[in-house]
């Protein structure tokens, strides 16, 4: 040991625990140091004292009391504030982590426990072949959402695939995996079946690991049993749904700083519902994992849908499973490719993942709609009585008159739809085609119901209202695509014209309970479920595998609750708790008891937002001198702050940019100052 005379009277003993990689046990070492010694010097003296010849390049010092890494090796101990009472751990930065994918498969791989979570997610997605990693993050499932019966918790289907990041020291002694990512090329897939093309197969070479990775990530596997589904956590209320999103990790801090240990399990999920630049050629894995996240959200009732919609989702799942099990390769025709590309464009426009190119007609004329529609204004203690008026839709507003002849006079009322909530109220079997408009006003939301006569009229008006709520007119090039998308979804909902053509449920090898939530297995017998699923299947039986997945995602995003993440908050000046719904373009204050929206604030009207870290309060200022402030009760305010900043960050993406992320901008918008 170095004598104290060598360092002078200001030297002191520092206790460091060394986490040996191969010995499987920790050993303590005492070093005599002084405050002006830099961290790199401490590590050098420690390695000299250990006297073990190995690669120490991945090791770093972890300060247990402060829960932080000492990564700036040029900083002195005084600058970090390290004193004699500090307990340091000399440990590997890369450790094994279990990551559960949206498909419910668990992947075990080596990740950096010292890098910020944003970088960790980017590296995981690169290794798994998932583009646009900024849309995903890691989620720690809260204890409240786990099943109380410990004996049943292991029944969930878990298949582990051992993967190792190519650059990770954690893969020492193991063959390097090519993964599904390369800096020089991207894997290319069939736009109809999602299978790798010949050049990608050649790139995989003879590596069974790479082929197995693709098979596990991009293809579908047998569904879980009804018993397993019944044992999984299902939220019953909006408050329960708020628990699901409470555990998002802080993207600006490392895994170790957030209490994550080696071999812990985290969920990899699409956090932000803006799926940018989906491309069937490059995104087979991304689309499949997106489909799986949507599928489980439907099965576990994390998002509400009607019974009619439930059987459409069930039919789509059945068709995907049928095509996956058959293993047949689709013959790719130009028409099929066009259909898939059109579906992708529909999806991208619907989610506002990017801007479509402007065409000449956008600026030459602003079209309008004019029709007889029925209107009803929601009032307490009154029956729903619809009355017919003459409606005119232009720009982002809708006006209604007593009749067509009165159109050139003053309207009875003019509704500005910019910033309003548009909720479909449709039952194809019941011939009901309704649109619910929730229009923000000073003291809350005005609720207006419109009723259309048929599918075609509904599609036109619903598309116009949806675009107007986003500040777009019917002149936007996405209007026709929106109409086509709505009509396609209605067609899936419509019952087959020839019921006698439906296969006999007795002769069909189907487990219908695997395709619907447990609530419906209690309501209907197995034969009834099978018959309903087969009936809905007739409308989509011609679709290819990839197009079916895209249709499922489109149907998912058309649900009223799509893209909403809930948190329990207390607004400043309020005496009761409310729910805050966060979407890609707005914030919604929701009544906890009724689930009704109280008011909406759009990101486009936001001037600034900040956090008072002392009292953990989020404050936001909007145009027209509107300001709100709230404290978060179901999670830390940093989670909500990051959600808002993350959506602002994603809105800056454009198609003409390369795929390089502006990480500094992300942290500037989401990091905050604590």
């Amino acid at each position: 040991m170095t004598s104290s005379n060598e360092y002078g009277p200001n030297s002191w003993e520092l206790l460091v625990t060394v986490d040996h990689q191969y010995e499987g046990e920790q050993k303590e070492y005492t070093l005599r140091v002084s405050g002006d010694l830099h961290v790199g010097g401490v590590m050098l003296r420690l390695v000299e004292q250990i006297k073990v010849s190995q690669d120490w390049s991945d090791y770093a010092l972890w300060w247990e009391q402060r829960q932080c890494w000492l990564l700036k090796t040029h900083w002195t101990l005084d600058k970090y504030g390290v004193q004699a009472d500090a307990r340091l751990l000399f440990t590997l930065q890369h450790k094994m982590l279990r990551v559960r994918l949206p498909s419910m498969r668990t992947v075990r791989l080596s990740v950096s426990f010292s890098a910020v979570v944003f970088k960790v997610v980017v590296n995981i997605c690169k290794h798994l072949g998932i583009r646009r990693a900024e849309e995903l993050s890691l989620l720690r499932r809260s204890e409240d959402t786990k099943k109380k019966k410990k004996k049943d918790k292991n029944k969930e289907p878990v298949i582990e695939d051992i993967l190792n990041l190519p650059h990770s020291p954690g893969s020492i002694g193991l063959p390097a995996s090519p993964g599904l990512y390369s800096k020089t090329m991207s894997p290319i897939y069939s736009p109809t079946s999602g299978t790798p093309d010949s050049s990608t197969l050649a790139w995989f070479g003879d590596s069974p690991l790479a082929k197995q990775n693709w098979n596990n990530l991009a293809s579908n596997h047998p569904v879980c049993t009804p018993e397993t589904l019944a044992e999984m956590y299902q939220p019953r209320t909006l408050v329960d749904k708020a628990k699901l999103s409470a555990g998002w990790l802080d993207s600006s801090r490392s895994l170790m700083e957030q209490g994550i240990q080696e071999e812990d399990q985290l969920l990899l999920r699409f956090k932000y519902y803006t799926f940018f630049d989906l491309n069937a050629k490059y995104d087979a894995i991304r689309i499949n994992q997106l489909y799986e996240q949507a599928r489980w959200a439907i099965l576990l009732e994390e998002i509400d849908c009607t019974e009619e919609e439930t059987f459409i989702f069930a039919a789509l799942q059945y068709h995907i499973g049928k095509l996956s099990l058959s293993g047949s390769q689709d013959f790719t025709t130009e028409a099929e490719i066009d259909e898939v590309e059109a579906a992708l464009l529909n999806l991208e426009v619907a989610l506002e993942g990017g801007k479509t190119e402007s065409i000449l007609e956008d600026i030459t004329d602003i079209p309008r709609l004019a029709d007889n529609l029925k209107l009803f204004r929601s009032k307490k203690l009154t029956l729903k009585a619809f009355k017919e008026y003459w409606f005119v839709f232009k720009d982002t507003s809708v006006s209604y008159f007593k009749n067509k002849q009165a159109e050139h006079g003053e309207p009875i009322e003019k509704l500005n739809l910019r910033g309003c909530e548009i909720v479909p109220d449709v039952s194809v079997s019941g011939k009901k085609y309704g649109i619910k408009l929730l229009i923000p006003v000073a003291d809350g939301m005005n609720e207006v119901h419109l009723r259309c006569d048929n599918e075609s009229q509904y599609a036109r008006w619903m598309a116009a209202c949806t675009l107007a709520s986003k500040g777009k007119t019917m002149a936007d090039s996405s209007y026709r695509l929106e109409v086509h998308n709505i009509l396609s979804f209605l067609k899936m909902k419509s019952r087959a014209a020839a019921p006698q053509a439906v296969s006999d449920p007795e002769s069909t090898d189907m487990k219908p309970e695997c395709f619907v939530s447990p609530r419906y297995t209690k309501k209907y017998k197995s034969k009834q479920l099978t018959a309903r699923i087969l009936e809905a299947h007739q409308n989509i039986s011609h679709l290819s595998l990839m197009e079916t997945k895209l249709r499922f995602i489109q149907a998912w995003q058309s649900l009223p609750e799509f893209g909403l993440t809930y948190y329990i908050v207390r607004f400043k000046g309020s005496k009761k708790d409310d729910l805050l719904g966060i979407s890609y373009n707005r914030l919604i204050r929701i009544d906890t008891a009724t689930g009704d929206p109280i008011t909406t604030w759009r990101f486009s009207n936001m001037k600034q937002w900040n956090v008072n870290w002392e009292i953990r309060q989020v404050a936001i200022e909007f145009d027209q001198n509107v300001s709100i402030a709230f404290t978060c009760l179901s999670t830390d305010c940093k989670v909500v702050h990051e959600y808002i900043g993350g959506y602002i960050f994603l809105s800056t993406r454009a198609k003409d940019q390369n795929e390089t992320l502006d990480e500094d901008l992300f942290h500037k918008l989401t990091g905050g100052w604590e």
Side-chain angles (χ1 to χ4, degrees):
M1 184 180 295
T2 308
S3 66
S4 59
N5 294 331
E6 189 174 333
Y7 284 92
N10 294 327
S11 65
W12 37 272
E13 289 186 342
L14 177 65
L15 185 65
V16 182
T17 304
V18 177
D19 192 2
H20 281 285
Q21 181 181 359
Y22 300 112
E23 295 183 13
E25 60 180 19
Q26 296 181 342
K27 291 185 179 180
E28 292 185 348
Y29 293 84
T30 302
L31 302 175
R32 180 158 288 278
V33 298
S34 60
D36 59 357
L37 181 64
H38 55 77
V39 171
V42 174
M43 294 167 64
L44 180 61
R45 294 187 181 279
L46 180 61
V47 170
E48 289 175 350
Q49 189 170 328
I50 295 172
K51 296 178 181 179
V52 174
S53 179
Q54 71 173 67
D55 182 3
W56 296 99
S57 61
D58 191 48
Y59 277 73
L61 288 171
W62 167 257
W63 190 355
E64 293 183 8
Q65 292 104 317
R66 295 281 183 90
Q67 290 288 294
C68 69
W69 289 93
L70 308 184
L71 297 177
K72 296 177 180 178
T73 54
H74 61 285
W75 277 26
T76 63
L77 295 179
D78 279 345
K79 192 168 184 178
Y80 264 120
V82 175
Q83 297 178 348
D85 61 345
R87 293 186 60 85
L88 302 184
L89 176 66
F90 192 50
T91 184
L92 281 166
Q93 297 177 66
H94 288 79
K95 303 173 188 285
M96 300 308 291
L97 181 72
R98 297 174 189 269
V99 178
R100 196 164 199 191
L101 305 178
S103 60
M104 295 297 180
R105 287 186 168 267
T106 299
V107 176
R108 182 173 174 267
L109 69 169
S110 178
V111 302
S112 173
F113 275 63
S114 62
V116 296
V117 166
F118 185 85
K119 285 183 181 291
V120 172
V121 173
V122 168
N123 285 328
I124 290 174
C125 290
K126 279 184 178 180
H127 193 74
L128 301 180
I130 300 174
R131 296 196 311 145
R132 304 297 177 185
E134 66 273 16
E135 297 169 357
L136 298 92
S137 192
L138 293 171
L139 177 69
R140 176 168 35 195
R141 181 57 58 90
S142 67
E143 291 297 322
D144 292 337
T145 63
K146 296 176 182 176
K147 291 305 266 185
K148 294 180 181 178
K149 296 180 181 179
K150 292 184 178 180
K151 63 180 181 179
D152 293 330
K153 74 176 183 179
N154 293 324
K155 288 187 176 181
E156 296 182 14
V158 177
I159 299 177
E160 291 191 344
D161 305 306
I162 299 178
L163 308 174
N164 295 278
L165 290 175
H167 65 272
S168 170
S171 59
I172 294 173
L174 294 172
S177 163
L180 293 176
Y181 175 80
S182 167
K183 288 184 178 179
T184 57
M185 72 169 289
S186 297
I188 299 175
Y189 306 94
S190 161
T192 54
S193 65
T195 55
D197 75 353
S198 56
S199 62
T200 298
L201 285 173
W203 172 49
F204 284 166
D206 296 326
S207 168
L209 188 57
K211 291 179 181 177
Q212 180 189 3
N213 293 351
W214 171 81
N215 189 51
N216 285 340
L217 301 172
S219 59
N220 299 90
H221 300 270
V223 292
C224 69
T225 63
E227 294 76 21
T228 301
L229 189 60
E231 292 297 330
M232 298 177 76
Y233 178 81
Q234 296 176 53
R236 301 300 181 192
T237 64
L238 288 178
V239 172
D240 289 341
K241 292 177 181 180
K243 295 175 184 176
L244 296 175
S245 53
W248 288 110
L249 295 189
D250 186 339
S251 296
S252 302
R253 298 166 64 207
S254 70
L255 293 173
M256 285 271 280
E257 288 171 328
Q258 299 180 69
I260 307 300
Q261 302 297 321
E262 186 173 8
E263 298 289 356
D264 280 359
Q265 185 180 84
L266 295 173
L267 310 181
L268 180 69
R269 294 290 183 268
F270 289 88
K271 178 179 180 179
Y272 301 102
Y273 294 88
T274 51
F275 314 127
F276 185 70
D277 189 28
L278 275 177
N279 191 317
K281 274 188 177 179
Y282 307 110
D283 289 325
I285 294 173
R286 182 182 173 205
I287 289 171
N288 184 63
Q289 294 299 323
L290 194 53
Y291 156 72
E292 289 285 357
Q293 183 163 326
R295 182 172 77 90
W296 284 105
I298 299 295
L299 288 176
L300 299 178
E301 297 191 68
E302 294 174 5
I303 184 170
D304 292 338
C305 59
T306 65
E307 183 171 308
E308 192 174 49
E309 290 161 344
T310 293
F311 286 106
I312 292 172
F313 286 119
L316 289 166
Q317 289 177 70
Y318 171 64
H319 189 58
I320 289 170
K322 196 175 177 182
L323 292 176
S324 299
L325 288 174
S326 67
S328 59
Q329 298 298 318
D330 294 333
F331 179 72
T332 307
T333 64
E334 290 297 326
E336 286 175 325
I337 293 176
D338 289 344
E339 281 186 22
V340 174
E341 288 180 347
L344 280 166
L345 189 55
N346 284 341
L347 182 60
E348 184 178 304
V349 169
L351 296 172
E352 281 199 342
K355 297 179 180 178
T356 54
E357 295 181 1
S358 298
I359 53 177
L360 185 61
E361 66 182 23
D362 287 356
I363 58 175
T364 56
D365 181 39
I366 296 180
R368 66 174 211 156
L369 285 176
D371 263 319
N372 279 313
L373 301 178
K374 296 182 178 67
L375 176 137
F376 163 74
R377 277 192 167 279
S378 182
K379 295 178 182 178
K380 292 182 179 179
L381 304 176
T382 59
L383 297 174
K384 266 194 179 182
F386 283 91
K387 189 174 180 181
E388 189 171 284
Y389 295 97
W390 178 256
F391 281 79
V392 176
F393 193 109
K394 192 167 185 180
D395 294 325
T396 58
S397 300
V398 59
S399 305
Y400 62 95
F401 306 83
K402 186 176 181 181
N403 50 47
K404 186 176 180 179
Q405 290 69 33
E407 179 184 338
H408 299 292
E410 284 294 317
I412 298 173
E413 188 177 14
K414 184 176 182 179
L415 306 172
N416 182 12
L417 301 188
R418 187 188 291 265
C420 75
E421 299 295 311
I422 311 295
V423 182
D425 182 20
V426 176
S427 172
V428 176
S429 58
K431 301 293 184 185
K432 182 177 80 171
Y433 304 99
I435 303 171
K436 183 164 73 171
L437 308 176
L438 299 172
I439 303 170
V441 291
D443 59 345
M445 306 279 278
N446 277 344
E447 189 173 313
V448 178
H449 295 257
L450 304 182
R451 184 66 61 83
C452 301
D453 293 330
N454 52 57
E455 293 182 6
S456 176
Q457 188 184 59
Y458 168 79
R460 295 195 306 273
W461 281 85
M462 184 65 180
C465 291
T466 302
L467 289 179
S469 71
K470 301 171 184 176
K472 298 180 180 180
T473 70
M474 291 170 57
D476 192 273
S477 56
S478 62
Y479 172 70
R480 284 176 293 179
L481 292 169
E482 188 76 27
V483 172
H484 174 75
N485 193 25
I486 294 169
L487 286 172
S488 297
F489 189 45
L490 292 176
K491 185 179 178 183
M492 285 195 293
K493 283 187 174 185
S494 63
R495 298 212 169 185
Q500 68 273 13
V502 179
S503 304
D504 182 8
E506 296 282 354
S507 63
T508 304
D509 184 18
M510 181 200 295
K511 293 182 179 178
E513 296 85 1
C514 299
F515 303 117
V516 295
S517 67
R519 178 158 57 96
Y520 290 98
T521 62
K522 296 174 184 177
K523 185 176 181 180
Y524 295 106
K525 294 180 180 178
S526 183
K527 290 180 183 178
Q528 293 173 307
L529 291 173
T530 301
R532 293 284 297 274
I533 293 172
L534 289 175
E535 186 178 18
H537 180 251
Q538 286 188 100
N539 293 323
I540 51 97
S541 59
H542 63 285
L543 299 178
S544 67
L545 181 60
M546 184 62 72
E547 192 179 356
T548 310
K549 290 179 183 178
L550 291 170
R551 287 288 182 91
F552 193 100
I553 296 169
Q554 287 175 348
W556 175 46
Q557 68 91 34
S558 72
L559 298 175
E561 267 193 287
F562 170 78
L564 279 175
T565 305
Y566 300 100
Y567 291 102
I568 303 171
V569 301
R570 174 75 62 87
F571 279 88
K572 187 177 181 179
S574 176
K575 294 183 179 180
K576 68 183 186 71
D577 300 343
D578 285 310
L579 281 166
L580 180 72
I582 305 177
S583 184
Y584 70 96
N585 62 352
R586 66 199 187 280
L587 299 174
I588 309 172
R589 184 177 181 177
I590 301 169
D591 187 286
T592 306
T594 64
D596 294 333
I598 299 172
T599 189
T600 296
W601 305 278
R602 301 190 76 84
F603 291 156
S604 58
N605 299 328
M606 186 188 297
K607 293 170 67 177
Q608 67 174 10
W609 80 99
N610 57 70
V611 178
N612 184 329
W613 297 109
E614 291 184 4
I615 59 175
R616 317 301 286 183
Q617 185 181 76
V618 180
I620 308 175
E621 290 184 22
F622 297 91
D623 293 338
Q624 299 177 344
N625 297 319
V626 175
S627 61
I628 61 173
F630 55 85
T631 53
C632 303
L633 305 180
S634 61
T635 190
D636 190 87
C637 63
K638 174 63 170 65
V639 176
V640 175
H641 170 69
E642 183 174 312
Y643 239 122
I644 296 171
Y647 273 124
I648 301 296
F649 170 75
L650 294 182
S651 69
T652 65
R653 296 181 297 181
K655 275 192 171 181
D656 55 353
Q657 294 175 338
N658 57 30
E659 293 191 24
T660 303
L661 286 174
D662 188 346
E663 189 177 341
D664 290 339
L665 177 61
F666 176 84
H667 290 303
K668 185 178 179 182
L669 290 170
T670 64
W673 299 272
E674 291 194 59

